[in-house]
Amino acid sequence: MNRLIYLSPVPWASFAQRPQKFVEWFHARTGSETIWVDPYPTRLPRLSDLRRIHLAATPAAQAPPRRLRVLKPLALPIEPLPGSGWINVFWHPTLMALERFARGHDTLVVAGKPSVFALAVLERLKNAHSLYDAMDEFPAFYTGISRRAMARRERKLVRQVDTLWVTSTRLQQCWSPLRPDLRCVANALDDRLMPAPRVRDHGLQAKVFGYAGTIASWFDWNWVIALARARPLDVVRLIGPVFHAAPAALPGNIELLPGRSHPAALGAMREFDVGLIPFLSNDLTASVDPIKFYEYRALNLPVISTRFGEMALRAQEPGTFISLSEQDTAALADAALALANDCAAAREFAARNTWKRRFDAAQLLP
């Protein structure tokens, strides 16, 4: 395959995630030309969207590399409504550009999110190879008519693509009856960005329990507050944009810091003594395989996580402590801080869990 069309769930100019890492891997393997298609609204608008746009000023990914072009389909936010594909004529120039790009070339179309536009692209590019990289239970992020419409689109997309990847055990269980040929391709880390593992100090000075990432509706504020109260002499440091405010006044030892670029965030994480993943257990998180788990462990950090998604299956992983309630935070904090340093194991963990190894093992390319 010598050309790639990536229909992304996130903009190119956002914090680099799995979609950007896939494109980088594909470029390294094939030297191909790529069109990256930024997402458009796939649900009816809400007033809270205005606040999200204002807060989403996290440092962006790098500029598009050579041989990659970014397109943004123009579309009205009406997708859940019947006939939205006919009404949204504004995206026709983008469809025509993709047709011209793929014509006469061995092309791979990757959909990172279900949408009417993605189905239209697959319909027009019938000779292209296709992959749906299912990273979330997308209907769980929607309500009402938007949720039902997203569920129908996703099921249609799963049936239509040549190849289906899923990122978690829950998604594998969800889609294997319909697509027994799917592959589970877990998340990973970018070893080129990772700082050296940190040798943690076991002395008596105040410790830093840290989280780096988005604070949204799935963030378990009550659990974080319970941890801060259980460790009043230590610091709970939260780094990232806040879309979901705390439900009560925060203890004085909780620090809220703004989002940073990926390299800067990794540098800040290296200053943690313990990495936190405090997510609620609900439909939004049931299929999540958090990238920060891989990054924390590659930095030689013990991880304390609530019991959700793929983390619920990691209780036996070295250096990983799974919380069952707000009442066990003190005991888990003590156990995590007592964990011995093992930088050699952290380096080996990082080497086993790179994006390159993950995507190569999936055997998508010859």
Side-chain angles (χ1 to χ4, degrees):
M1 288 171 274
N2 56 20
R3 291 206 166 179
L4 171 65
I5 295 171
Y6 199 103
L7 312 175
S8 177
V10 296
W12 173 264
S14 64
F15 198 96
Q17 301 174 58
R18 180 182 176 106
Q20 286 95 337
K21 301 306 178 183
F22 179 93
V23 169
E24 291 173 7
W25 167 79
F26 195 90
H27 272 210
R29 283 288 309 271
T30 67
S32 66
E33 292 188 32
T34 297
I35 288 183
W36 171 287
V37 182
D38 271 353
Y40 65 94
T42 51
R43 60 166 170 77
L44 300 177
R46 297 193 293 252
L47 287 176
S48 59
D49 294 340
L50 297 176
R51 181 171 178 270
R52 179 171 289 270
I53 291 170
H54 173 70
L55 288 174
T58 304
Q62 71 269 19
R66 193 174 65 87
R67 303 174 68 85
L68 184 144
R69 179 159 48 117
V70 177
L71 299 181
K72 172 75 173 179
L74 295 176
L76 299 171
I78 58 171
E79 182 143 309
L81 302 179
S84 62
W86 292 100
I87 298 170
N88 266 322
V89 295
F90 305 106
W91 66 33
H92 287 181
T94 305
L95 284 172
M96 293 171 62
L98 298 182
E99 284 185 318
R100 290 193 298 269
F101 178 75
R103 190 174 298 131
H105 296 277
D106 190 14
T107 301
L108 173 66
V109 177
V110 180
K113 176 182 178 180
S115 68
V116 173
F117 182 81
L119 294 170
V121 171
L122 294 181
E123 180 64 27
R124 290 200 179 207
L125 305 183
K126 292 182 181 296
N127 294 326
H129 308 275
S130 57
L131 162 68
Y132 173 34
D133 191 10
M135 307 171 211
D136 282 297
E137 290 187 56
F138 281 105
F141 290 83
Y142 298 75
T143 58
I145 185 175
S146 296
R147 182 169 185 151
R148 294 190 294 273
M150 174 58 77
R152 288 193 300 271
R153 288 193 298 271
E154 183 167 38
R155 196 167 185 86
K156 186 173 182 180
L157 182 64
V158 164
R159 285 196 177 104
Q160 194 164 336
V161 293
D162 301 319
T163 304
L164 174 64
W165 286 359
V166 297
T167 58
S168 69
T169 303
R170 167 72 173 251
L171 289 172
Q172 186 174 24
Q173 294 168 345
C174 174
W175 292 117
S176 57
L178 188 61
R179 289 294 301 261
D181 59 333
L182 64 75
R183 294 192 70 112
C184 189
V185 183
N187 282 328
L189 55 82
D190 189 336
D191 55 321
R192 299 167 302 172
L193 298 179
M194 294 300 304
R198 177 192 173 195
V199 179
R200 289 171 286 107
D201 190 339
H202 288 87
L204 297 178
Q205 73 275 16
K207 303 302 181 185
V208 177
F209 293 79
Y211 169 83
T214 300
I215 298 173
S217 59
W218 53 82
F219 191 81
D220 194 339
W221 273 114
N222 289 332
W223 187 92
V224 170
I225 291 169
L227 173 65
R229 288 174 175 162
R231 305 290 304 192
L233 301 181
D234 295 322
V235 174
V236 177
R237 183 173 296 158
L238 310 177
I239 302 173
V242 179
F243 298 112
H244 181 61
L250 296 177
N253 60 333
I254 293 182
E255 295 180 354
L256 282 175
L257 301 177
R260 308 181 183 189
S261 68
H262 199 175
L266 290 170
M269 287 159 56
R270 193 174 184 272
E271 301 304 312
F272 297 167
D273 293 287
V274 177
L276 304 178
I277 313 180
F279 290 178
L280 297 167
S281 180
N282 56 29
D283 287 347
L284 292 177
T285 61
S287 301
V288 171
D289 178 26
I291 293 173
K292 59 181 56 61
F293 164 73
Y294 300 100
E295 294 174 337
Y296 288 159
R297 291 302 296 133
L299 290 170
N300 188 39
L301 296 180
V303 176
I304 303 179
S305 173
T306 52
R307 191 176 185 275
F308 72 91
E310 207 67 11
M311 294 308 300
L313 307 177
R314 289 184 167 135
Q316 304 307 314
E317 289 268 354
T320 306
F321 303 87
I322 305 301
S323 174
L324 302 181
S325 73
E326 297 169 18
Q327 283 66 51
D328 63 15
T329 55
L332 291 181
D334 288 340
L337 290 172
L339 184 71
N341 284 299
D342 194 341
C343 291
R347 286 189 288 268
E348 291 171 5
F349 178 89
R352 290 196 310 272
N353 290 283
T354 66
W355 290 114
K356 181 181 185 303
R357 288 195 64 159
R358 203 71 92 228
F359 294 144
D360 280 348
Q363 299 179 336
L364 178 67
L365 301 177

